[in-house]
């Protein structure tokens, strides 16, 4: 199974309707159309932001050190590389749109990625082979799991990737403990959201204040 997408024989959740589980509320309650998802319980989280890195999609420079707005990098890929070297980190992204690589696993523990509310877009390319991934990479294939991974105030746009030859989700979550997706907008690729299939479970997570389009 390729990370973040399903073979033709699998059945994924419909983008057009969601069903609320325990401690989850939907608006509208029918779960149809444009849906806002909220949870009514908190999840234990660990502080992950002992290092800060900054991204400016239109004005950053990937040769910069990324440790301040006036030294911001241009891509999330570069910011993640810096964070992986530094350890527990928070990545702040300014307004604008970033086109992601064809496969975009976050690939680390103790990381928060926070955009500018309503203004930061992570866009999947048409040739995408996987969406934005919390978990699901070579590390987790050996039975390992990531932990403490959090997304905030992001627009994850998989619209262009709907034309991909793969059946993929704009955001997929698995092989991870203590995770959250808060105040994000998710726009579907083939599917919009895939969380914790049996072979890559996701635990102690929450989705709060998100809109699924």
């Amino acid at each position: 199974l390729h990370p973040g997408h399903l073979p033709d024989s699998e059945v994924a959740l419909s983008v057009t309707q969601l069903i609320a589980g325990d401690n989850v509320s939907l608006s509208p309650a029918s779960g149809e159309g444009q849906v806002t998802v909220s949870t009514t319980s908190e999840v234990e989280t660990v502080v992950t932001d002992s290092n800060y890195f900054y991204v400016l999609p239109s004005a950053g420079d990937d040769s910069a050190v990324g440790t301040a707005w006036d030294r911001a990098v241009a891509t999330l890929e570069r910011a993640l590389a810096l964070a992986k070297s530094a350890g527990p980190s928070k990545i702040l992204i300014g307004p604008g749109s970033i086109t992601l690589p064809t496969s975009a696993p976050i690939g680390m523990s103790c990381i928060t990625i926070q955009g500018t509310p309503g203004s930061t877009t992570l866009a999947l390319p048409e040739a995408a082979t996987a969406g934005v991934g919390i978990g699901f990479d070579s590390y987790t294939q050996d039975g390992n799991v990531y932990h403490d991974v959090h997304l905030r105030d992001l627009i994850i746009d998989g619209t262009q990737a709907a034309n991909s030859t793969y059946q993929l989700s704009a955001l997929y979550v698995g092989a991870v403990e203590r995770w959250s997706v808060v105040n994000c907008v998710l726009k579907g690729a083939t599917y919009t959201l895939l969380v914790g299939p049996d072979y890559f479970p996701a635990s102690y997570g929450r989705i709060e204040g998100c809109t699924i389009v």
Side-chain angles (χ1 to χ4, degrees), residues 90-102:
K90 186 171 189 176
I91 295 173
L92 299 174
I93 308 176
S97 180
I98 296 175
T99 299
L100 298 171
T102 55

Side-chain angles (χ1 to χ4, degrees), residues 53 79-87 89 105-108 137 146:
F53 295 98
L80 282 169
L82 293 169
K84 289 174 185 178
S85 296
S89 298
I106 292 171
M108 69 176 291
D137 64 9
Y146 290 113

Side-chain angles (χ1 to χ4, degrees), residues 1-6 104-109 131-151 169-181 193-207:
L1 182 71
H2 192 283
H5 74 271
L6 302 175
I106 292 171
M108 69 176 291
S109 297
V132 175
I134 301 177
F136 289 132
D137 64 9
S138 58
Y139 175 81
T140 62
Q141 288 172 11
D142 292 329
N144 300 305
V145 297
Y146 290 113
H147 60 87
D148 302 290
V149 182
H150 308 288
L151 305 184
S169 300
L171 174 65
Y172 58 95
V173 183
V176 62
E177 298 177 345
R178 299 190 301 273
W179 58 274
S180 64
V181 181
L193 176 64
L194 176 65
V195 178
D198 291 341
Y199 36 83
F200 279 130
S203 58
Y204 304 106
R206 64 188 175 109
I207 299 173

Side-chain angles (χ1 to χ4, degrees), residues 4 7 17 23 34 43 55 64 72 90 118-119 124 133 146 159 163 193:
Q17 183 175 19
N23 301 317
Q34 182 168 308
V43 175
V55 182
K90 186 171 189 176
S119 301
L124 303 182
Y146 290 113
T159 305
N163 299 320
L193 176 64

Side-chain angles (χ1 to χ4, degrees), residues 39-212:
T39 61
T40 58
S41 62
E42 291 294 324
V43 175
E44 179 186 1
T45 59
V46 174
V47 175
T48 65
D49 55 0
S50 57
N51 300 286
Y52 281 76
F53 295 98
Y54 299 82
V55 182
L56 287 174
S58 59
D61 181 349
D62 274 357
S63 65
V65 295
T67 53
W69 285 118
D70 60 356
R71 300 178 179 180
V73 298
T75 65
L76 177 59
E77 188 176 15
R78 178 57 180 158
L80 282 169
L82 293 169
K84 289 174 185 178
S85 296
S89 298
K90 186 171 189 176
I91 295 173
L92 299 174
I93 308 176
S97 180
I98 296 175
T99 299
L100 298 171
T102 55
S103 179
I106 292 171
M108 69 176 291
S109 297
C110 297
I111 181 72
T112 296
I113 301 174
Q114 182 170 340
T116 303
S119 301
T120 300
T121 297
L122 305 181
L124 303 182
E126 183 174 347
T129 59
V132 175
I134 301 177
F136 289 132
D137 64 9
S138 58
Y139 175 81
T140 62
Q141 288 172 11
D142 292 329
N144 300 305
V145 297
Y146 290 113
H147 60 87
D148 302 290
V149 182
H150 308 288
L151 305 184
R152 303 281 188 275
D153 300 317
L154 298 168
I155 301 167
I156 300 175
D157 188 354
T159 305
Q160 291 300 314
N163 299 320
S164 170
T165 57
Y166 296 93
Q167 290 188 315
L168 57 91
S169 300
L171 174 65
Y172 58 95
V173 183
V176 62
E177 298 177 345
R178 299 190 301 273
W179 58 274
S180 64
V181 181
V182 177
N183 296 334
C184 292
V185 176
L186 309 178
K187 298 183 178 182
T190 309
Y191 308 105
T192 306
L193 176 64
L194 176 65
V195 178
D198 291 341
Y199 36 83
F200 279 130
S203 58
Y204 304 106
R206 64 188 175 109
I207 299 173
E208 180 178 329
C210 293
T211 297
I212 298 175

